[in-house]
Amino acid sequence: TQLLEQSPQFLSIQEGENLTVYCNSSSVFSSLQWYRQEPGEGPVLLVTVVTGGEVKKLKRLTFQFGDARKDSSLHITAAQPGDTGLYLCAGPPTDKLIFGTGTRLQVFP
Amino acid sequence: GAGVSQSPRYKVAKRGQDVALRCDPISGHVSLFWYQQALGQGPEFLTYFQNEAQLDKSGLPSDRFFAERPEGSVSTLKIQRTQQEDSAVYLCASSLAPTGYEQYFGPGTRLTVT
């Protein structure tokens, strides 16, 4: 069974700080996705990483897929209150999604 | 709207009651997925349809859970004889591609069993 562990589980930071969220598995994934979910809403896709070692940037968010395709990270630069939410890694997108345990981020102004 | 819609948004059921949760996917989307999300956790897969065919129901927790998509569009997730452990948010997602490369999620139905 493929499992995705995320760390940290909770993160409370001040506006302007940087942070990194990690997603780890003992299994190889063909690709991984990152989602953000806000209260009362469904997850919204942020990015898909496919190639080992791949780095993708989405404004202040930087996503990296590990060389061995067993882990991924999300780095946010200069966090803003609008970044608040539940961040989820998931994979593989070509089948039923296996979601990570989630990281709840709170950014205070 | 053009997104995935779910109804009702909130449902309170007494233990033992049957409930039916509805999902309206994006028009033309072939794949439809149901997930269960416990409070503070990531969603967990329940079942998957490609058009009207239920191709995977390995995530359904018990035979009290039943899903259908008779015309390949709207889907209903039915839970019989609800139990307290069924309390969760039930998310529906649809995808244009048969293998669900990019899934679009609805807002979910929050089920509370008292």
Side-chain angles (χ1 to χ4, degrees):
Chain A
T1 302
Q2 293 179 307
L3 295 174
L4 289 168
E5 294 286 336
Q6 288 185 236
S7 61
Q9 188 176 359
F10 299 99
L11 200 52
S12 292
I13 61 173
Q14 292 294 127
E15 182 176 3
E17 292 185 22
N18 301 331
L19 66 114
T20 301
V21 176
Y22 299 92
C23 173
N24 293 287
S25 175
S26 57
S27 303
V28 174
F29 279 80
S30 57
S31 53
L32 279 178
Q33 296 181 319
W34 284 91
Y35 289 79
R36 182 172 72 201
Q37 185 178 22
E38 299 188 27
E41 298 181 10
V44 175
L45 179 65
L46 296 175
V47 77
T48 302
V49 286
V50 179
T51 306
E54 181 177 9
V55 176
K56 282 192 173 179
K57 292 191 174 184
L58 183 66
K59 297 183 180 178
R60 294 175 294 101
L61 278 60
T62 300
F63 305 85
Q64 186 164 6
F65 199 13
D67 291 340
R69 292 185 285 122
K70 291 184 177 182
D71 58 274
S72 182
S73 64
L74 158 60
H75 182 79
I76 302 179
T77 303
Q80 299 178 0
D83 296 327
T84 293
L86 178 67
Y87 287 81
L88 297 158
C89 61
T94 51
D95 200 341
K96 59 193 179 190
L97 285 172
I98 298 167
F99 280 89
T101 47
T103 294
R104 188 165 296 281
L105 172 65
Q106 177 80 53
V107 182
F108 293 96
Chain B
V4 178
S5 60
Q6 293 186 246
S7 61
R9 291 294 313 277
Y10 304 91
K11 177 69 178 177
V12 179
K14 292 188 176 180
R15 193 169 65 132
Q17 282 185 334
D18 298 348
V19 298
L21 312 180
R22 177 187 169 107
C23 172
D24 284 84
I26 295 172
S27 178
H29 276 199
V30 170
S31 300
L32 186 146
F33 301 80
W34 284 97
Y35 295 87
Q36 180 190 59
Q37 186 174 25
L39 188 64
Q41 302 294 316
E44 292 190 359
F45 170 80
L46 293 176
T47 187
Y48 159 58
F49 290 86
Q50 184 174 321
N51 296 307
E52 68 277 5
Q54 189 175 19
L55 298 187
D56 188 342
K57 54 181 181 179
S58 61
L60 295 176
S62 77
D63 58 7
R64 296 186 296 105
F65 286 70
F66 172 76
E68 60 183 5
R69 194 187 185 198
E71 298 179 358
S73 178
V74 171
S75 178
T76 304
L77 176 66
K78 297 179 180 178
I79 309 174
Q80 297 177 323
R81 305 181 303 283
T82 53
Q83 303 293 316
Q84 283 193 318
E85 60 263 29
D86 300 334
S87 296
V89 174
Y90 290 85
L91 294 165
C92 174
S94 71
S95 174
L96 182 62
T99 50
Y101 187 77
E102 181 166 357
Q103 297 184 25
Y104 296 84
F105 284 82
T109 294
R110 180 176 295 280
L111 173 64
T112 302
V113 182
T114 61

